[in-house]
Amino acid sequence: MVVEGDTTSVGSGVRLKQEISLLHGVCLIVGNMIGSGIFVSPKGVLMYTGSFGLSLVVWAIGGIFSVFGALCYAELGTTIHKSGASYAYILEAFGGFLAFIRLWTSLMIVEPACQAVIALTFSNYLVQPFYPTCAAPYHAVRLFAAAIICLLTAVNCMKVKWGAILQVISTVAKVLALIVIIIAGLVKLAQGFDQNFEDSFKGSKLNPGDMALALYSALYSYSGWDTLNFITEELQNPQRNLPLSIAISMPIVTIIYILTNVAYYVVMDADTVLYSEAVAVTFADEVLGWARWLIPISVAISCYGGLNSSIIAASRLFFVGSREGHLPNVLCMIHIKRYTPIPALLFNGGMALIYLSVPDVFRLINYFSFNYWLFIGMSIASQIYLRVKFPEMPRPVKLSLFFPVVYCICSVFLVVVPLYSDTINSLVGIAVALSGAPVYYICIYLPPTSRPAFLGKMLDKLSLFTQKLCFCCVASPDIDLDNIDPEKIE
């Protein structure tokens, strides 16, 4: 049985429907960038910078750095008309091996670890209000986080039709929470509460290692600027709307983030921020009085929506990798009645649960940030490579090489410096990436006749078992999971 996606034919090819407008593009980028990060990262940035002043500088640098990356992706996205963002660009420029390692690290560490961070943020903000004078119990936070991962994995397996409504509610919740925080902080500042900004650079940590780790935390909040590049094929007039969406959304998010941190620092001193497991809850307890419950509820709803989006995006990544022959069929199956990628969702959910065992959320961020920025930097390097190798390639958006060169240099800083300042966590990231090399060699590089016989038999048995257990079949690589016509089934 093969399930065909609801796609639009062009000649003999197949492409996804172009249904995303400029407004939708701006909302997608802003909605994906403003997530759980701004409610968890301020503590990490301050911890590694040592002062309010330097932390605000790092937030501004993070915004500028993200603008550079987004502009480079605007050129790449309008030059290479494929969904998949950095995976597609690395594949086009550097071939299958590095693209596979990018996919491998995303599936094994980047996506599940990121989902674990969102789930822990959700749990902290839900549990912390019940423990106003102490830290929330470790096991209670982990159990709530595991429960939300399992719930949303089950929801996506069942294809409950509330995804769009959930995303609207989530966006409203997080924007409302940030507006309340910013207004409350600015009112306090206008009333003369500026003592925390006196000698604001005192105690700054200027060594490169701490600066890199501070940027990891800040850039975690800015992640999401590449959202539209995952769905370039579905964007109306991408040559115009992709760069314009980036130009509109990036300054908005940067200003919101800086004002939010200013509001935090007006109300709380450095020790209070560093001690808090839920910075926005502590802020609300200090300022909002009876309305303090508004913040944890809004943040929890925001994280709920963000985690749902991340789980859906991870399942799409399985299909992009499958289309290029980089993943086994067992991870590319969908339920024959619900049309949901149940095996991929279960694998992703299981990996996220494993990462909940890491005790420190900032260690989790450091785990996946090493690999994330390594391959983001490599995808920007592909822009330079394609400029040199294929100068005649049509480029509707063409930047000065200054932007990708500066971005690549900064990416090298983000990848190399933590090897000295955060060696263990960086080595974990390297080990995960290197573990993909033998998998690629045995399962993809070798011709089928040269691969170990037991491996083929094992995958066949696993595939058959999964089909029976999950009532699934292998899907057409061209399928659009969000627009399936139930009548187009063979």
Side-chain angles (χ1 to χ4, degrees):
M1 177 183 288
V2 178
V3 181
E4 300 291 345
D6 183 13
T7 55
T8 303
S9 296
V10 180
S12 60
V14 178
R15 65 176 174 83
L16 301 177
K17 289 183 176 179
Q18 294 182 316
E19 296 180 337
I20 298 177
S21 66
L22 173 62
L23 179 60
H24 288 149
V26 172
C27 291
L28 275 171
I29 294 176
V30 173
N32 277 275
M33 286 183 70
I34 300 178
S36 63
I38 189 58
F39 302 110
V40 65
S41 292
K43 176 180 175 179
V45 175
L46 183 60
M47 180 168 60
Y48 292 118
T49 56
S51 70
F52 285 162
L54 186 57
S55 69
L56 291 176
V57 171
V58 166
W59 280 102
I61 291 173
I64 296 169
F65 184 68
S66 299
V67 169
F68 272 48
L71 289 173
C72 293
Y73 263 44
E75 177 178 324
L76 284 166
T78 53
T79 303
I80 302 171
H81 299 282
K82 288 183 180 180
S83 295
S86 60
Y87 171 75
Y89 309 146
I90 293 171
L91 181 66
E92 186 79 13
F94 303 125
F97 174 67
L98 289 177
F100 174 82
I101 298 299
R102 158 72 175 91
L103 181 66
W104 176 263
T105 56
S106 290
L107 301 182
M108 297 300 293
I109 189 168
V110 175
E111 297 294 339
C114 184
Q115 290 163 23
V117 171
I118 299 173
L120 288 170
T121 305
F122 167 88
S123 185
N124 266 316
Y125 274 87
L126 208 60
V127 175
Q128 188 62 53
F130 295 98
Y131 298 88
T133 59
C134 62
Y138 175 88
H139 294 295
V141 170
R142 260 59 188 178
L143 285 173
F144 269 100
I148 192 63
I149 289 173
C150 292
L151 173 63
L152 283 177
T153 299
V155 164
N156 282 285
C157 286
M158 293 186 293
K159 195 67 174 183
V160 175
K161 293 286 187 179
W162 64 2
I165 297 174
L166 177 63
Q167 289 311 115
V168 171
I169 295 173
S170 169
T171 300
V172 170
K174 57 193 171 190
V175 171
L176 176 63
L178 290 177
I179 288 174
V180 170
I181 289 170
I182 290 171
I183 291 176
L186 292 180
V187 168
K188 283 285 187 180
L189 187 61
Q191 292 174 346
F193 290 86
D194 58 356
Q195 63 275 11
N196 288 339
F197 293 100
E198 296 175 0
D199 200 8
S200 59
F201 285 88
K202 183 179 180 181
S204 296
K205 302 176 183 178
L206 298 176
N207 69 79
D210 285 329
M211 287 293 290
L213 296 177
L215 276 169
Y216 272 2
S217 289
L219 291 170
Y220 169 69
S221 294
Y222 283 106
S223 60
W225 47 259
D226 58 346
T227 299
L228 291 187
N229 293 69
F230 281 96
I231 50 174
T232 303
E233 296 164 79
E234 300 170 61
L235 189 64
Q236 295 174 1
N237 191 7
Q239 289 83 1
R240 170 185 176 271
N241 288 343
L242 181 56
L244 202 53
S245 297
I246 291 167
I248 294 171
S249 58
M250 294 300 297
I252 293 173
V253 174
T254 303
I255 291 170
I256 288 175
Y257 279 2
I258 291 175
L259 288 177
T260 301
N261 279 276
V262 169
Y264 286 151
Y265 299 158
V266 167
V267 173
M268 297 178 286
D269 59 27
D271 290 338
T272 304
V273 174
L274 293 174
Y275 179 75
S276 175
E277 293 294 332
V279 179
V281 168
T282 306
F283 177 92
D285 289 340
E286 295 279 346
V287 177
L288 298 182
W290 63 269
R292 64 184 181 274
W293 281 93
L294 175 68
I295 297 299
I297 292 173
S298 297
V299 175
I301 294 172
S302 167
C303 294
Y304 190 87
L307 183 57
N308 186 62
S309 294
S310 181
I311 289 172
I312 293 171
S315 66
R316 283 191 175 199
L317 194 57
F318 283 105
F319 275 79
V320 174
S322 168
R323 185 167 61 186
E324 304 298 337
H326 282 169
L327 288 177
N329 286 339
V330 69
L331 294 177
C332 314
M333 297 179 179
I334 64 172
H335 194 276
I336 64 173
K337 292 185 178 179
R338 297 191 179 101
Y339 317 115
T340 53
I342 292 179
L345 287 164
L346 292 178
F347 177 82
N348 179 76
M351 291 298 296
L353 290 175
I354 290 172
Y355 282 108
L356 289 180
S357 62
V358 178
D360 182 7
V361 70
F362 298 106
R363 187 185 300 176
L364 268 176
I365 292 175
N366 294 346
Y367 275 167
F368 71 77
S369 291
F370 177 87
N371 279 302
Y372 181 79
W373 292 111
L374 172 64
F375 288 104
I376 290 290
M378 195 175 293
S379 64
I380 301 297
S382 73
Q383 180 182 1
I384 302 172
Y385 174 82
L386 292 173
R387 281 280 194 94
V388 175
K389 191 76 173 178
F390 304 103
E392 74 287 347
M393 183 180 287
R395 292 178 172 85
V397 176
K398 190 172 182 179
L399 297 175
S400 164
L401 280 177
F402 169 80
F403 291 97
V405 168
V406 169
Y407 196 92
C408 286
I409 293 171
C410 293
S411 296
V412 170
F413 170 79
L414 285 172
V415 170
V416 172
V417 172
L419 285 172
Y420 298 96
S421 61
D422 194 29
T423 306
I424 299 299
N425 292 332
S426 298
L427 288 176
V428 169
I430 292 173
V432 171
L434 292 179
S435 68
V439 176
Y440 177 85
Y441 178 77
I442 295 172
C443 299
I444 297 172
Y445 179 79
L446 289 177
T449 53
S450 301
R451 296 171 190 167
F454 78 91
L455 185 63
K457 292 179 181 178
M458 183 178 68
L459 288 175
D460 287 342
K461 288 182 179 179
L462 179 62
S463 177
L464 182 61
F465 176 77
T466 304
Q467 289 184 59
K468 292 178 178 179
L469 179 67
C470 301
F471 209 40
C472 293
C473 67
V474 177
S476 166
D478 304 316
I479 195 169
D480 177 8
L481 292 176
D482 298 321
N483 295 290
I484 294 178
D485 185 350
E487 297 185 4
K488 291 187 178 181
I489 301 176
E490 293 182 359

